Amino acid sequence: MLRSACLVVCASLLAACASFAPPPDPAWDDIATLQARMAAGALSATQLTERFLARIDALDDRGPTLRAVVEINPDALALARELDAERAAGRVRGPLHGIPVLLKDNIDTGDRMLTTAGSFALVDSRPADDAFVVARLRAAGAVILGKTNLSEWANFRSTRATSGWSARGGQTRNPYGRERNPCGSSAGSAVAVAVAMTAVAVGTETNGSITCPASATGVVGMKPTVGLVSRDGIVPISISQDSAGPLARSVADAAALLQAMAAWDADDPAAAPVRRIPDFGAALDADALTGARIGIARSMAGFDAATDALFERALGVLRAAGATLVEVELKMPAGFNDDAFTVLLHEFRAGIDAYLATRDGPPRTLPQLIAFNRAHAALEMPHFGQEIFLLAAAVGSLDDPAYRDAYARSRRAARADGIDRTMREHALDAIVAPTMAPAWRTDYARGDDYRGGGASAPPAVAGYPHITLPMGDVDGLPVGLSFFAGAYSDARLLGFAYAYEQRAGLRMRPVLAE
């Protein structure tokens, strides 16, 4: 009797405790769940925005001071209230309606926020209007929450730079170990997503600047086919390689953000073939890997034994999902990196002056940026210099034979003789590799340490899509699995990544994010 009575009392106490349990934290919900809660009246865009602002204050401004967010949009709450009013009136613009989004601080906004690429040189110069992609996000109903820190000038200022550092924002820290580097240059965007300071974020990549920080912080990151997302209003490095792309905690959220961002822009020379945008959500099939032929790029592995072990486990997941795995060789020729760098120097030299001319004040040219850094060396160059700026200032125009030859060689190596040939000869649907080894320790004396390899260069130089998602962790540090393929295979890659994600079940969350 006594035991039965105790069980009844205990059950009653448990039920009472459950009734006082805190509600689920919407900061960690995926976009579909957030939309369902808002549709049911259990959550508003205003409440969600307030929750993210509170997390930014707790984790970025105070607490571990991750330095992921460099500026809050002063109009964020007003935008959220307007979108709540629209919902109440029966208008819902789509999956991003009322969803807060952070933007990397090299993406123009024609509002009260700055766009600086992390440099104080641009603090007194404002863009004329929103970047094309920002206008797309506003039209989709996103709440532009703020700007994220980045590697200054998207890591294209010094040959010995430290990823995640900018003069304006300081050093972004990896939430899985604050002494570890977040990689980048989209470091702030990746870290903000990893610790739920936002639902999703926009990064940019020339070569590895989305996929590397995504891997290092345990999130999903995708660089789309170049031209699928307009580069208008984004501080440039390379007309042939630059792209904005999504960072998210799930493949479905990355697909939703990419759907809103992608559109044909007549003013982007790379966008000519991209008139019809795929339905990325429709590609998210848990059985997408069934019957797929996937190439294993082992030349991109072998840099870290523990990462290789996780890669082997990931290959087992792909096999179990019904994929046929094929061993392939994908190596770039000697001189590839030198050619790719020559291309970037020339394209940056041409592109940065054209971009600066769109803003409302000086600096207007690369030499003026160099002069600013020299005049403010203690502020702008306390850890590393501007060797790349100096090299770029010395090159010729895009008509220079040195540029045209390097462009042709590197493009052919990455495309026709690289990814295209490998996929054709083996009848592949995609290629997989470890994205990179675990994050290195931030070290201003030595700069970035890329000895852990990386899968980004061939698809980046080719202008082809590349997605990474969590593959596991090495001693608590995340590492990613990369899928890449030929031009405009974005939807198919999202499908493969989604199918892997559903089977692997690897959703990572750093302890300090609680």
Side-chain angles (χ1 to χ4, degrees), residues 50-99:
E50 289 172 339
R51 181 66 186 122
F52 285 130
L53 291 174
R55 289 187 66 79
I56 291 169
D57 178 65
L59 296 173
D60 222 50
D61 300 336
R62 296 181 291 113
T65 57
L66 296 174
R67 295 197 175 103
V69 179
V70 74
E71 184 173 6
I72 295 295
N73 184 0
D75 300 318
L77 286 171
L79 291 170
R81 286 190 287 268
E82 290 174 5
L83 291 160
D84 283 334
E86 285 189 15
R87 187 182 294 272
R91 183 190 178 197
V92 177
R93 302 187 192 190
L96 288 191
H97 189 106
I99 302 297

Side-chain angles (χ1 to χ4, degrees), residues 85-126:
E86 285 189 15
R87 187 182 294 272
R91 183 190 178 197
V92 177
R93 302 187 192 190
L96 288 191
H97 189 106
I99 302 297
V101 178
L102 284 169
L103 308 173
K104 187 174 177 181
D105 184 32
N106 62 347
I107 302 173
D108 288 351
T109 52
D111 53 17
R112 293 194 286 167
M113 290 191 292
L114 301 175
T115 303
T116 70
S119 171
F120 283 106
L122 298 186
V123 166
D124 295 323
S125 166
R126 290 185 174 272

